[in-house]
């Protein structure tokens, strides 16, 4: 069965610090990978996605993620965080086949707090 | 364009009652999925519907059911509510084909007393 783990439950950073949130998944086949962000009081928003090609993907608001197939990892990074990045971050994966491509499995989430 | 819309935004029920949650997908999206997000956890997959047929089901009891209408909107029904059903229920829609990300609504906050 597919599963997603995230390395940290809660991360606290000062503004301008660099961010890396770890994500690992378990699935032997081809996957689509996502990072979603949930700002306080708002709905889940897609931050970035990986389907194929260049394993380094760039998303909105300066975020990027690197897919390392051998490590089953899809870590999220940002070189310099801002107070407005305070949010809950979810890593997600779904198996790439015609029957279940919409069944997205989410990790437990990492709460990021950025201190001004 | 309007995003995924869900109603109601908040709902309070008591144990044993039944509830119906509604979702309207983004125009043109034919696939709708439902998720349950308990406080402090990631969303858990409940159902996926495509062209009015159930395409996937998560590990939820038969008290949970759903359907999709010809206009692609969807309803999630939960019978015999338990305290543990208190959660944010999210609806997501996507367009046809692989490699199409899901777009989420704001959710319905269900509280069971």
């Amino acid at each position: 069965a597919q599963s997603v783990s995230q390395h940290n439950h809660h991360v606290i950073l000062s503004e301008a610090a660099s961010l890396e949130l770890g994500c690992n998944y378990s699935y032997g086949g081809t996957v689509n990978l996502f990072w979603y962000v949930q700002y306080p009081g708002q709905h889940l928003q897609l931050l970035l996605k990986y389907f194929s090609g260049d394993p380094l993907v760039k998303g909105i608001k300066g975020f990027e993620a690197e897919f390392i197939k051998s490590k089953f990892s899809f870590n999220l990074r940002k070189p310099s965080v801002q107070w407005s990045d305070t949010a809950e971050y979810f890593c997600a994966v779904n198996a790439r086949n015609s029957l279940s491509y919409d069944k997205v499995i989410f990790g437990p989430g990492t709460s990021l707090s950025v201190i001004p | 364009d309007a995003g995924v819309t869900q109603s109601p935004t908040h709902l309070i029920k008591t144990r044993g009652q039944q509830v119906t949650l509604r979702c309207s997908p983004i125009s043109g999206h034919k696939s709708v999925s439902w998720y349950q997000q308990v406080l402090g956890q990631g969303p858990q997959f409940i159902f996926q519907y495509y062209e009015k047929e159930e395409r996937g089901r998560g590990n939820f009891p038969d008290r949970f059911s759903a359907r999709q209408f010809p206009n692609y909107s969807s309803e999630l029904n939960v019978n015999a509510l338990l305290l543990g059903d208190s959660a944010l229920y999210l609806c997501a829609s996507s367009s046809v084909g692989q490699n199409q990300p899901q777009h989420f609504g704001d959710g319905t906050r269900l509280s069971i007393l």
Side-chain angles (χ1 to χ4, degrees):
Chain A
Q2 299 170 341
S3 67
V4 178
S5 62
Q6 293 183 235
H7 300 180
N8 307 96
H9 183 65
H10 194 185
V11 173
I12 302 174
L13 294 173
S14 298
E15 275 192 317
S18 63
L19 170 73
E20 181 159 3
L21 301 182
C23 170
N24 286 91
Y25 66 93
S26 65
Y27 181 69
T30 304
V31 294
N32 296 329
L33 297 161
F34 309 87
W35 275 97
Y36 282 87
V37 61
Q38 190 170 30
Y39 298 104
Q42 297 186 26
H43 60 265
L44 278 167
Q45 301 174 40
L46 182 66
L47 205 52
L48 48 76
K49 61 186 184 289
Y50 172 81
F51 292 139
S52 64
D54 189 346
L56 184 62
V57 293
K58 296 189 182 299
I60 60 172
K61 303 184 181 183
F63 286 91
E64 64 178 31
E66 184 176 13
F67 170 50
I68 303 179
K69 188 175 181 179
S70 62
K71 295 184 177 180
F72 297 89
S73 70
F74 190 55
N75 293 352
L76 181 71
R77 299 193 292 250
K78 185 171 183 178
S80 177
V81 295
Q82 300 172 321
W83 176 80
S84 58
D85 293 325
T86 295
E88 191 85 16
Y89 292 82
F90 296 95
C91 181
V93 61
N94 75 310
R96 191 188 304 174
N97 66 64
S98 61
L99 292 179
S100 67
Y101 65 86
D102 270 358
K103 179 183 176 181
V104 180
I105 307 299
F106 284 84
T110 296
S111 176
L112 172 65
S113 297
V114 179
I115 302 171
Chain B
D1 286 341
V4 176
T5 57
Q6 292 186 243
S7 64
T9 55
H10 294 88
L11 203 52
I12 299 174
K13 292 285 187 178
T14 57
R15 283 178 295 175
Q17 286 189 309
Q18 175 266 341
V19 69
T20 298
L21 311 180
R22 296 175 176 80
C23 171
S24 294
I26 291 173
S27 177
H29 286 189
K30 298 182 179 181
S31 175
V32 170
S33 297
W34 286 94
Y35 294 83
Q36 180 195 65
Q37 186 177 16
V38 174
L39 195 63
Q41 297 181 21
Q44 300 292 314
F45 173 78
I46 308 176
F47 286 110
Q48 181 212 337
Y49 274 77
Y50 173 66
E51 289 286 7
K52 295 168 287 182
E53 291 187 1
E54 182 181 304
R55 295 289 295 274
R57 185 186 182 106
N59 188 25
F60 280 82
D62 292 342
R63 300 185 294 108
F64 288 77
S65 63
R67 55 180 175 169
Q68 186 177 32
F69 299 98
N71 66 352
Y72 304 109
S73 66
S74 178
E75 286 182 352
L76 174 69
N77 297 285
V78 187
N79 294 321
L81 287 167
L82 303 174
L83 291 177
D85 295 332
S86 294
L88 180 68
Y89 288 85
L90 298 167
C91 175
S93 74
S94 61
S95 54
V96 176
Q98 294 184 353
N99 300 345
Q100 299 300 322
Q102 295 188 328
H103 300 265
F104 285 82
D106 289 337
T108 293
R109 174 73 61 187
L110 176 63
S111 299
I112 311 301
L113 302 180

